Amino acid sequence: LTQLINASKFSGRNKKNLGIGVFNAVGAPMTASILDKRTGKTESIETEPLTNYSLIVIDQALKGRSSVTFTNTNVMRSGIARDANVSALDFALYDKKNNYGIVGTGRYSKIMGTNPYDGFNTTLSLRKVSGKIQFNVNNNIESDRYDPNDLGFLQAPNEVTSSAQVSYNQF
């Protein structure tokens, strides 16, 4: 297990409904001792470099249920180890009567190191969110190189999905 040197979190929301969250953590470098049974010599190898993890979220709550959010995650490792940065812009916009909404995301990942690459993810959803009959039409696109896994989780990139839902609700 990696030893945590320090972690700090600051968050809050002001009078204008602007939410700000900042997180930073530093993980200590870790080594493992490997015994070569043929020679009897013990070798020490680095299993985890000194690592800085940071996250910032800026969320503006708008009228009704609407909001716009910017998120950035960053993982920086010492030496030649892989570094990663993922930025996202999320929005949810609803009409004045809170009947219909459009919700979307745009995300960009950049992996830096010996084999650098970048990728993206977009989602767009149109919704009817009130009344007896509600619906949702959704489209999601992930590039084959979208990778938020240094400070997030994605099982498998490289997909395009579309879906639709209709529901009848008795309140």
Side-chain angles (χ1 to χ4, degrees):
L1 296 174
T2 301
Q3 180 182 2
L4 190 61
I5 295 173
N6 184 25
S8 302
K9 178 187 112 173
F10 302 98
S11 63
R13 190 170 290 277
N14 69 16
K15 292 177 184 178
K16 295 187 178 188
N17 276 329
L18 178 67
I20 300 174
V22 177
F23 173 79
N24 194 77
V26 178
M30 300 296 291
T31 59
S33 296
I34 307 295
L35 173 65
D36 186 333
K37 290 185 178 183
R38 293 178 291 136
T39 64
K41 291 184 180 181
T42 301
E43 182 182 350
S44 181
I45 62 167
E46 184 178 65
T47 57
E48 181 71 27
L50 176 69
T51 306
N52 187 79
Y53 303 91
S54 63
L55 168 69
I56 184 167
V57 177
I58 301 170
D59 174 67
Q60 179 62 62
L62 304 170
K63 290 183 179 184
R65 294 170 52 179
S66 298
S67 65
V68 176
T69 305
F70 173 77
T71 306
N72 179 266
T73 64
N74 190 286
V75 178
M76 299 295 287
R77 297 175 176 92
S78 65
I80 61 168
R82 157 188 166 126
D83 296 327
N85 188 288
V86 180
S87 295
L89 184 63
D90 297 65
F91 66 89
L93 304 172
Y94 295 90
D95 68 335
K96 288 181 182 182
K97 293 184 178 183
N98 202 29
N99 290 323
Y100 297 93
I102 181 168
V103 177
T105 63
R107 297 183 176 133
Y108 174 74
S109 65
K110 182 160 187 68
I111 306 302
M112 299 152 284
T114 55
N115 296 312
Y117 59 93
D118 58 350
F120 68 90
N121 168 249
T122 60
T123 303
L124 187 61
S125 178
L126 303 172
R127 304 172 176 181
K128 181 173 184 302
V129 295
S130 66
K132 287 187 176 184
I133 296 178
Q134 298 180 19
F135 65 84
N136 178 14
V137 177
N138 185 62
N139 181 261
N140 179 61
I141 301 170
E142 290 171 357
S143 72
D144 62 337
R145 298 238 178 201
Y146 177 63
D147 186 352
N149 290 323
D150 287 80
L151 202 56
F153 180 72
L154 176 67
Q155 282 187 318
N158 195 25
E159 66 179 16
V160 175
T161 57
S162 296
S163 62
Q165 295 175 298
V166 176
S167 64
Y168 177 80
N169 303 278
Q170 185 66 44
F171 299 105

